[in-house]
Structures are given as C-alpha cells and as structure tokens.
Amino acid sequence: MMLEGKVAIVTGSGRGLGLAYAQELARQGAAVVVNDVDEQVAADAVAAIEAAGGRAVAVVAPVGPTETAELLVQTAVDTYGRLDILVTNAGVLRDTVLWKMSDDDFDLVVNVHLRGTFTCVRAAARYMRENQVAGRIICIGSPTGQRGNFGQTNYAAAKAGIAGMVRTWALELKRAGITANTVIPVAATAMTATVPYFAAAVEADAKGEAMPPFFRHDLGFGTSADVAGLIAYLASDAAAGISGQAIGVGGDRLQVWSHPEPVVTEYREGGWTAEALAEQGPAILAENLQSVGERFPPLPEELQRPQA
C-alpha cells in the first residue's frame, strides 16, 4: 500500500467524489479524517471505510472558517499523530446567470470553495512546515475554472482562483518539500446527473454497468473511482517531483493542463495607440481569439435520450 503510515484530511468527503477519494486513500493505507456538514453522512462514510478495513474519523463542520481548518488539522494530529496529506474537495453550487446572481449566491460559493481551500491549506502547510513533513496538498478544481461555463460566475471564479493559488503555493512550499497540485475531475456527480447530455452514462453508472466507451474515452467522463487513483498517486512519495500542476482525469483519460500562456506576441515601436490597434488589431487579435466554455461532440444516436 503506497500510503501506509500516512494521515490524510479530505474535506467534503461524506459522499460523491470526496468519499471516493477518502476510500481510496484509506485503501492505500492512509488514516483519513472525513469531513462533512451532515453528521449522519459523515458517520456513514467513516463506517464504510472501517468496514473495508481502513481507519477514519469524522469532523462535522462547514469548510470556510479558519476554526474548521484548524480543527481538521488538530483532529488528524490528536487522533493519528501526524498529517501528511490534504485534499480540499468541499464545495457547494448556486448556479444562475450573472444578472440574476445575488450577493449571497456569490459569497457562499466563493467562501466554501476558495476561502475554504485557502484556510485549510494554510493550516496544513503551517503544520507540515513546523514539523518538517514533506506533505502533499491536492486541491480540486474544475473544467469550469479552466474554461468557464454558462450560469457559473461564482463557481468559475472560485475554481480558477484555486488553480492560481496552487501555482503560488508550489513556489512557496518547494523548499519545505511540500507539493501542491490541482486535480480537474470529470465524473458522474449529482450535478451531471441533471444534464440530459450525460443521461446514458449516468443511467449505466446507477445500474452498476460500465459507461459507454464514447463517454469514457471520447469525453474522459467516468465514475468517482476513476478520479480517486490520481488523488492517491499525487499523495504518495512517488509524486514528490510533481508540483504546481493542473491535472485532469476522468474515465479513460488523463490530461496535463497548460498554464496560461500568450498565443501571439507583437511589438510596435512607440506602443499601441487606439489608432494603431484599429488599423492592425484585427489581424493580431481577431485572428487569435480563444474559445470559451467546453465543446462537446454530438452524442451518438444510440446514446441520445428524450429530454423532459
């Protein structure tokens, strides 16, 4: 087991992707601090891990406040004697278009995803640095944070911010031997279950059947378990040389996302006036516009489902 003797925290791990991460970390030998806001859900997650032969303890608290972050770290240390791994997965959704999004919709999502990631990583990094632990920080991003998505201003801002923080933390924590990476999962979740495009894949998953190859291969869309292996690998000593990266995984696909880089560079002596841009801009800018949002190929006819 590649994580024997390690101790991990996984936020938002009572169900879904977070539970899959916690279960895989435990399967690989790590003791796990499970976190959820629902006491019964957290208890069920701990019971499932223990039933499979793993070790787990629950912390029932909302992610975001510094107090929760410190409680998570303290629980790991008090219960298992150390902390080696942090996976920041906790999140909420409040989707709506820009002109209908309230302050509360925006603040809640940013507080849980972005601030919650910051407070938890800060608490874990302090412990790791003070105790000379070459730890692993794994933050969960999203394709929405990489490319945008209609109706998700708050979520896109938070997930893009997480990727930016991780690149910074990789620099700041390098000397301490602590790695920081972003994982971009693509998997069947409560959110994708409501999207007609994924209906055939969700149906198969619900029946315990393999998803059609179109989803697993062409879209890189799979189950929570398909993502969990990458989490365990990045948490291991074998991944000591990987830091500051955004790595996508889903179904049969693994991807390394590029950092933002300029796609064209032009120079003009004296600088770029409005008049110069009006004259030369179309050839430089318009011809190099980048796409936004995700583009899905047409569903094969046999995978199409009638929409309600």
Side-chain angles (χ1 to χ4, degrees):
M1 295 185 289
M2 65 174 63
L3 301 178
E4 186 69 39
K6 306 287 189 182
V7 178
I9 295 169
V10 185
T11 68
S13 50
R15 55 175 64 125
L17 282 164
L19 176 57
Y21 304 156
Q23 290 176 315
E24 179 62 16
L25 292 173
R27 190 180 76 85
Q28 293 292 345
V32 182
V33 178
V34 169
N35 162 251
D36 201 275
V37 294
D38 187 308
E39 185 173 0
Q40 188 58 56
V41 168
D44 290 345
V46 169
I49 290 170
E50 291 178 337
R55 295 176 295 158
V57 65
V59 170
V60 180
V63 166
T66 293
E67 293 76 16
T68 297
E70 293 176 346
L71 176 60
L72 287 165
V73 173
Q74 196 61 51
T75 299
V77 176
D78 288 348
T79 308
Y80 300 115
R82 59 185 294 118
L83 173 64
D84 303 273
I85 303 155
L86 171 66
V87 182
T88 60
N89 172 75
V92 295
L93 292 174
R94 291 295 185 273
D95 294 353
T96 188
V97 291
L98 171 63
W99 51 94
K100 294 183 179 179
M101 185 170 289
S102 68
D103 289 356
D104 288 344
D105 290 335
F106 185 86
D107 291 344
L108 175 63
V109 171
V110 170
N111 182 65
V112 176
H113 286 277
L114 189 62
R115 189 174 192 273
T117 296
F118 160 69
T119 56
C120 288
V121 172
R122 180 179 61 184
R126 283 174 174 170
Y127 169 83
M128 292 172 182
R129 291 184 73 256
E130 290 168 5
N131 292 276
Q132 292 80 52
V133 176
R136 302 286 179 264
I137 306 295
I138 303 166
C139 301
I140 305 303
S142 168
T144 295
Q146 304 295 101
R147 298 189 58 83
N149 191 33
F150 189 95
Q152 290 194 310
T153 293
N154 44 14
Y155 186 68
K159 290 302 191 182
I162 287 170
M165 292 194 301
V166 163
R167 287 191 285 268
T168 297
W169 295 334
L171 297 172
E172 294 178 345
L173 298 173
K174 181 178 181 179
R175 186 172 181 179
I178 302 167
T179 65
N181 291 288
T182 305
V183 168
I184 314 295
V186 182
T189 63
M191 182 174 71
T192 54
T194 65
V195 181
Y197 186 89
F198 297 109
V202 173
E203 287 172 11
D205 188 43
K207 295 176 183 176
E209 301 172 354
M211 290 185 184
F214 172 81
F215 290 99
R216 292 192 58 84
H217 182 274
D218 295 29
L219 292 181
F221 180 87
T223 67
S224 298
D226 291 320
V227 182
L230 176 61
I231 300 296
Y233 171 71
L234 290 175
S236 73
D237 293 341
I242 302 172
S243 194
Q245 304 304 300
I247 305 173
V249 65
D252 299 331
R253 187 178 71 187
L254 180 71
Q255 297 177 311
V256 178
W257 285 81
S258 67
H259 299 317
E261 295 284 352
V263 297
V264 64
T265 301
E266 296 286 347
Y267 299 93
R268 181 179 182 275
E269 187 175 350
W272 290 95
T273 63
E275 292 79 7
L277 285 166
E279 179 182 352
Q280 300 179 47
I284 300 169
L285 303 178
E287 293 182 10
N288 292 285
L289 296 180
Q290 304 298 291
S291 64
V292 295
E294 289 207 78
R295 297 179 178 179
F296 298 126
L299 273 173
E301 186 175 350
E302 69 274 14
L303 299 178
Q304 295 179 16
R305 297 292 183 270
Q307 298 189 27

PDB file of all heavy atoms in Angstrom, residues 32 71 84 107 114 131 144 162 171 180 184 187 194 207 223 227 229 234 257 261-262 264 278 284:
ATOM      1  N   VAL A  32      -7.661   8.434   7.604  1.00  0.00           N
ATOM      2  CA  VAL A  32      -8.344   9.556   6.955  1.00  0.00           C
ATOM      3  C   VAL A  32      -9.245  10.301   7.925  1.00  0.00           C
ATOM      4  O   VAL A  32     -10.031   9.691   8.670  1.00  0.00           O
ATOM      5  CB  VAL A  32      -9.191   9.057   5.760  1.00  0.00           C
ATOM      6  CG1 VAL A  32      -9.859  10.243   5.061  1.00  0.00           C
ATOM      7  CG2 VAL A  32      -8.327   8.292   4.769  1.00  0.00           C
ATOM      8  N   LEU A  71      -9.385  22.858  13.258  1.00  0.00           N
ATOM      9  CA  LEU A  71      -9.962  21.664  13.872  1.00  0.00           C
ATOM     10  C   LEU A  71      -9.612  20.410  13.076  1.00  0.00           C
ATOM     11  O   LEU A  71      -9.313  19.350  13.654  1.00  0.00           O
ATOM     12  CB  LEU A  71     -11.481  21.814  13.989  1.00  0.00           C
ATOM     13  CG  LEU A  71     -12.253  20.603  14.529  1.00  0.00           C
ATOM     14  CD1 LEU A  71     -11.788  20.246  15.934  1.00  0.00           C
ATOM     15  CD2 LEU A  71     -13.759  20.879  14.499  1.00  0.00           C
ATOM     16  N   ASP A  84      -0.051  14.242   6.766  1.00  0.00           N
ATOM     17  CA  ASP A  84       0.797  14.176   5.579  1.00  0.00           C
ATOM     18  C   ASP A  84       0.112  14.682   4.314  1.00  0.00           C
ATOM     19  O   ASP A  84       0.793  15.125   3.384  1.00  0.00           O
ATOM     20  CB  ASP A  84       1.217  12.721   5.317  1.00  0.00           C
ATOM     21  CG  ASP A  84       1.925  12.105   6.494  1.00  0.00           C
ATOM     22  OD1 ASP A  84       3.149  12.261   6.602  1.00  0.00           O
ATOM     23  OD2 ASP A  84       1.236  11.478   7.323  1.00  0.00           O
ATOM     24  N   ASP A 107     -21.171  34.954  -2.662  1.00  0.00           N
ATOM     25  CA  ASP A 107     -20.338  34.855  -1.467  1.00  0.00           C
ATOM     26  C   ASP A 107     -20.277  33.437  -0.905  1.00  0.00           C
ATOM     27  O   ASP A 107     -19.219  32.984  -0.466  1.00  0.00           O
ATOM     28  CB  ASP A 107     -20.854  35.810  -0.385  1.00  0.00           C
ATOM     29  CG  ASP A 107     -20.640  37.271  -0.741  1.00  0.00           C
ATOM     30  OD1 ASP A 107     -19.844  37.548  -1.661  1.00  0.00           O
ATOM     31  OD2 ASP A 107     -21.278  38.142  -0.109  1.00  0.00           O
ATOM     32  N   LEU A 114     -13.218  28.729  -2.418  1.00  0.00           N
ATOM     33  CA  LEU A 114     -11.956  29.479  -2.487  1.00  0.00           C
ATOM     34  C   LEU A 114     -11.381  29.759  -1.098  1.00  0.00           C
ATOM     35  O   LEU A 114     -10.242  29.396  -0.800  1.00  0.00           O
ATOM     36  CB  LEU A 114     -12.174  30.783  -3.250  1.00  0.00           C
ATOM     37  CG  LEU A 114     -10.910  31.576  -3.593  1.00  0.00           C
ATOM     38  CD1 LEU A 114     -10.007  30.764  -4.510  1.00  0.00           C
ATOM     39  CD2 LEU A 114     -11.277  32.904  -4.254  1.00  0.00           C
ATOM     40  N   ASN A 131       6.756  20.918  11.326  1.00  0.00           N
ATOM     41  CA  ASN A 131       7.117  19.565  11.737  1.00  0.00           C
ATOM     42  C   ASN A 131       7.944  18.820  10.689  1.00  0.00           C
ATOM     43  O   ASN A 131       8.077  17.600  10.758  1.00  0.00           O
ATOM     44  CB  ASN A 131       5.850  18.783  12.062  1.00  0.00           C
ATOM     45  CG  ASN A 131       5.157  19.300  13.303  1.00  0.00           C
ATOM     46  OD1 ASN A 131       5.517  18.922  14.417  1.00  0.00           O
ATOM     47  ND2 ASN A 131       4.180  20.173  13.121  1.00  0.00           N
ATOM     48  N   THR A 144     -14.776  24.092 -15.365  1.00  0.00           N
ATOM     49  CA  THR A 144     -15.379  25.430 -15.354  1.00  0.00           C
ATOM     50  C   THR A 144     -14.351  26.486 -14.983  1.00  0.00           C
ATOM     51  O   THR A 144     -14.354  27.593 -15.534  1.00  0.00           O
ATOM     52  CB  THR A 144     -16.565  25.468 -14.382  1.00  0.00           C
ATOM     53  OG1 THR A 144     -17.584  24.593 -14.859  1.00  0.00           O
ATOM     54  CG2 THR A 144     -17.136  26.879 -14.246  1.00  0.00           C
ATOM     55  N   ILE A 162      -8.516  28.846  -7.302  1.00  0.00           N
ATOM     56  CA  ILE A 162      -7.814  27.714  -6.693  1.00  0.00           C
ATOM     57  C   ILE A 162      -6.590  27.335  -7.516  1.00  0.00           C
ATOM     58  O   ILE A 162      -5.489  27.138  -6.985  1.00  0.00           O
ATOM     59  CB  ILE A 162      -8.763  26.513  -6.530  1.00  0.00           C
ATOM     60  CG1 ILE A 162      -9.751  26.790  -5.392  1.00  0.00           C
ATOM     61  CG2 ILE A 162      -7.984  25.226  -6.263  1.00  0.00           C
ATOM     62  CD1 ILE A 162     -10.886  25.795  -5.291  1.00  0.00           C
ATOM     63  N   LEU A 171       5.401  27.253  -5.471  1.00  0.00           N
ATOM     64  CA  LEU A 171       6.632  28.032  -5.336  1.00  0.00           C
ATOM     65  C   LEU A 171       6.996  28.235  -3.869  1.00  0.00           C
ATOM     66  O   LEU A 171       8.146  28.058  -3.465  1.00  0.00           O
ATOM     67  CB  LEU A 171       6.460  29.389  -6.016  1.00  0.00           C
ATOM     68  CG  LEU A 171       6.204  29.387  -7.524  1.00  0.00           C
ATOM     69  CD1 LEU A 171       5.856  30.796  -7.999  1.00  0.00           C
ATOM     70  CD2 LEU A 171       7.420  28.866  -8.275  1.00  0.00           C
ATOM     71  N   ALA A 180       2.089  20.885  -4.180  1.00  0.00           N
ATOM     72  CA  ALA A 180       0.720  21.395  -4.292  1.00  0.00           C
ATOM     73  C   ALA A 180       0.275  21.240  -5.737  1.00  0.00           C
ATOM     74  O   ALA A 180       0.958  21.706  -6.652  1.00  0.00           O
ATOM     75  CB  ALA A 180       0.650  22.862  -3.868  1.00  0.00           C
ATOM     76  N   ILE A 184      -8.355  18.222 -11.831  1.00  0.00           N
ATOM     77  CA  ILE A 184      -9.559  18.623 -12.563  1.00  0.00           C
ATOM     78  C   ILE A 184     -10.358  17.360 -12.877  1.00  0.00           C
ATOM     79  O   ILE A 184     -10.093  16.671 -13.865  1.00  0.00           O
ATOM     80  CB  ILE A 184      -9.191  19.342 -13.881  1.00  0.00           C
ATOM     81  CG1 ILE A 184      -8.102  20.395 -13.666  1.00  0.00           C
ATOM     82  CG2 ILE A 184     -10.444  19.947 -14.521  1.00  0.00           C
ATOM     83  CD1 ILE A 184      -8.494  21.557 -12.807  1.00  0.00           C
ATOM     84  N   ALA A 187     -16.500  13.549 -13.834  1.00  0.00           N
ATOM     85  CA  ALA A 187     -17.118  12.303 -13.374  1.00  0.00           C
ATOM     86  C   ALA A 187     -18.608  12.504 -13.143  1.00  0.00           C
ATOM     87  O   ALA A 187     -19.096  13.638 -13.028  1.00  0.00           O
ATOM     88  CB  ALA A 187     -16.458  11.839 -12.082  1.00  0.00           C
ATOM     89  N   THR A 194     -28.186  15.732 -13.722  1.00  0.00           N
ATOM     90  CA  THR A 194     -29.318  16.528 -14.196  1.00  0.00           C
ATOM     91  C   THR A 194     -29.145  17.012 -15.629  1.00  0.00           C
ATOM     92  O   THR A 194     -30.034  17.670 -16.165  1.00  0.00           O
ATOM     93  CB  THR A 194     -29.519  17.754 -13.281  1.00  0.00           C
ATOM     94  OG1 THR A 194     -28.378  18.616 -13.382  1.00  0.00           O
ATOM     95  CG2 THR A 194     -29.691  17.331 -11.823  1.00  0.00           C
ATOM     96  N   LYS A 207     -26.832   1.693 -12.581  1.00  0.00           N
ATOM     97  CA  LYS A 207     -27.110   0.254 -12.656  1.00  0.00           C
ATOM     98  C   LYS A 207     -25.882  -0.594 -12.333  1.00  0.00           C
ATOM     99  O   LYS A 207     -25.949  -1.822 -12.345  1.00  0.00           O
ATOM    100  CB  LYS A 207     -27.600  -0.104 -14.055  1.00  0.00           C
ATOM    101  CG  LYS A 207     -28.933   0.520 -14.434  1.00  0.00           C
ATOM    102  CD  LYS A 207     -29.281   0.182 -15.889  1.00  0.00           C
ATOM    103  CE  LYS A 207     -30.576   0.846 -16.322  1.00  0.00           C
ATOM    104  NZ  LYS A 207     -30.869   0.587 -17.760  1.00  0.00           N
ATOM    105  N   THR A 223     -16.504   7.490 -13.559  1.00  0.00           N
ATOM    106  CA  THR A 223     -17.026   7.411 -12.203  1.00  0.00           C
ATOM    107  C   THR A 223     -16.098   8.137 -11.232  1.00  0.00           C
ATOM    108  O   THR A 223     -14.963   8.496 -11.572  1.00  0.00           O
ATOM    109  CB  THR A 223     -17.147   5.947 -11.769  1.00  0.00           C
ATOM    110  OG1 THR A 223     -15.826   5.389 -11.662  1.00  0.00           O
ATOM    111  CG2 THR A 223     -17.970   5.136 -12.778  1.00  0.00           C
ATOM    112  N   VAL A 227     -11.359   8.867 -10.718  1.00  0.00           N
ATOM    113  CA  VAL A 227     -10.578  10.035 -10.315  1.00  0.00           C
ATOM    114  C   VAL A 227      -9.691   9.720  -9.119  1.00  0.00           C
ATOM    115  O   VAL A 227      -8.601  10.260  -8.963  1.00  0.00           O
ATOM    116  CB  VAL A 227     -11.512  11.225  -9.983  1.00  0.00           C
ATOM    117  CG1 VAL A 227     -10.704  12.462  -9.605  1.00  0.00           C
ATOM    118  CG2 VAL A 227     -12.438  11.525 -11.162  1.00  0.00           C
ATOM    119  N   GLY A 229      -7.804   7.320  -8.147  1.00  0.00           N
ATOM    120  CA  GLY A 229      -6.447   6.812  -8.315  1.00  0.00           C
ATOM    121  C   GLY A 229      -5.416   7.918  -8.442  1.00  0.00           C
ATOM    122  O   GLY A 229      -4.303   7.813  -7.902  1.00  0.00           O
ATOM    123  N   LEU A 234      -0.873  11.207  -6.373  1.00  0.00           N
ATOM    124  CA  LEU A 234      -0.293  12.511  -6.044  1.00  0.00           C
ATOM    125  C   LEU A 234       0.005  12.640  -4.559  1.00  0.00           C
ATOM    126  O   LEU A 234       0.857  13.431  -4.149  1.00  0.00           O
ATOM    127  CB  LEU A 234      -1.223  13.635  -6.490  1.00  0.00           C
ATOM    128  CG  LEU A 234      -1.363  13.846  -7.999  1.00  0.00           C
ATOM    129  CD1 LEU A 234      -2.411  14.908  -8.297  1.00  0.00           C
ATOM    130  CD2 LEU A 234      -0.026  14.223  -8.627  1.00  0.00           C
ATOM    131  N   TRP A 257      -3.037  20.019 -17.950  1.00  0.00           N
ATOM    132  CA  TRP A 257      -3.463  21.322 -18.474  1.00  0.00           C
ATOM    133  C   TRP A 257      -2.272  22.268 -18.523  1.00  0.00           C
ATOM    134  O   TRP A 257      -1.430  22.287 -17.622  1.00  0.00           O
ATOM    135  CB  TRP A 257      -4.532  21.930 -17.567  1.00  0.00           C
ATOM    136  CG  TRP A 257      -5.888  21.319 -17.689  1.00  0.00           C
ATOM    137  CD1 TRP A 257      -6.335  20.175 -17.105  1.00  0.00           C
ATOM    138  CD2 TRP A 257      -6.998  21.842 -18.444  1.00  0.00           C
ATOM    139  NE1 TRP A 257      -7.648  19.945 -17.440  1.00  0.00           N
ATOM    140  CE2 TRP A 257      -8.084  20.953 -18.260  1.00  0.00           C
ATOM    141  CE3 TRP A 257      -7.176  22.961 -19.239  1.00  0.00           C
ATOM    142  CZ2 TRP A 257      -9.327  21.163 -18.858  1.00  0.00           C
ATOM    143  CZ3 TRP A 257      -8.411  23.168 -19.830  1.00  0.00           C
ATOM    144  CH2 TRP A 257      -9.466  22.275 -19.638  1.00  0.00           C
ATOM    145  N   GLU A 261      -0.677  30.890 -21.208  1.00  0.00           N
ATOM    146  CA  GLU A 261       0.476  31.352 -21.969  1.00  0.00           C
ATOM    147  C   GLU A 261      -0.014  32.203 -23.137  1.00  0.00           C
ATOM    148  O   GLU A 261      -1.067  31.934 -23.706  1.00  0.00           O
ATOM    149  CB  GLU A 261       1.275  30.170 -22.529  1.00  0.00           C
ATOM    150  CG  GLU A 261       1.924  29.273 -21.481  1.00  0.00           C
ATOM    151  CD  GLU A 261       3.160  29.898 -20.857  1.00  0.00           C
ATOM    152  OE1 GLU A 261       3.606  30.958 -21.343  1.00  0.00           O
ATOM    153  OE2 GLU A 261       3.672  29.309 -19.891  1.00  0.00           O
ATOM    154  N   PRO A 262       0.737  33.256 -23.535  1.00  0.00           N
ATOM    155  CA  PRO A 262       0.333  34.042 -24.697  1.00  0.00           C
ATOM    156  C   PRO A 262       0.383  33.208 -25.965  1.00  0.00           C
ATOM    157  O   PRO A 262       1.297  32.392 -26.142  1.00  0.00           O
ATOM    158  CB  PRO A 262       1.356  35.185 -24.734  1.00  0.00           C
ATOM    159  CG  PRO A 262       2.530  34.679 -23.962  1.00  0.00           C
ATOM    160  CD  PRO A 262       1.974  33.760 -22.922  1.00  0.00           C
ATOM    161  N   VAL A 264       0.105  34.733 -29.058  1.00  0.00           N
ATOM    162  CA  VAL A 264       0.726  35.568 -30.078  1.00  0.00           C
ATOM    163  C   VAL A 264       1.350  36.774 -29.384  1.00  0.00           C
ATOM    164  O   VAL A 264       0.819  37.268 -28.379  1.00  0.00           O
ATOM    165  CB  VAL A 264      -0.295  36.019 -31.150  1.00  0.00           C
ATOM    166  CG1 VAL A 264      -1.374  36.901 -30.540  1.00  0.00           C
ATOM    167  CG2 VAL A 264       0.400  36.742 -32.291  1.00  0.00           C
ATOM    168  N   ALA A 278      -6.718  50.007 -34.101  1.00  0.00           N
ATOM    169  CA  ALA A 278      -7.816  49.973 -35.067  1.00  0.00           C
ATOM    170  C   ALA A 278      -7.327  49.520 -36.437  1.00  0.00           C
ATOM    171  O   ALA A 278      -8.043  48.846 -37.180  1.00  0.00           O
ATOM    172  CB  ALA A 278      -8.455  51.359 -35.173  1.00  0.00           C
ATOM    173  N   ILE A 284      -4.162  40.927 -35.612  1.00  0.00           N
ATOM    174  CA  ILE A 284      -3.455  40.346 -34.462  1.00  0.00           C
ATOM    175  C   ILE A 284      -4.432  39.703 -33.485  1.00  0.00           C
ATOM    176  O   ILE A 284      -4.237  38.568 -33.041  1.00  0.00           O
ATOM    177  CB  ILE A 284      -2.638  41.432 -33.731  1.00  0.00           C
ATOM    178  CG1 ILE A 284      -1.601  42.055 -34.688  1.00  0.00           C
ATOM    179  CG2 ILE A 284      -1.970  40.855 -32.479  1.00  0.00           C
ATOM    180  CD1 ILE A 284      -0.938  43.287 -34.137  1.00  0.00           C
TER     181      ILE A 284
END
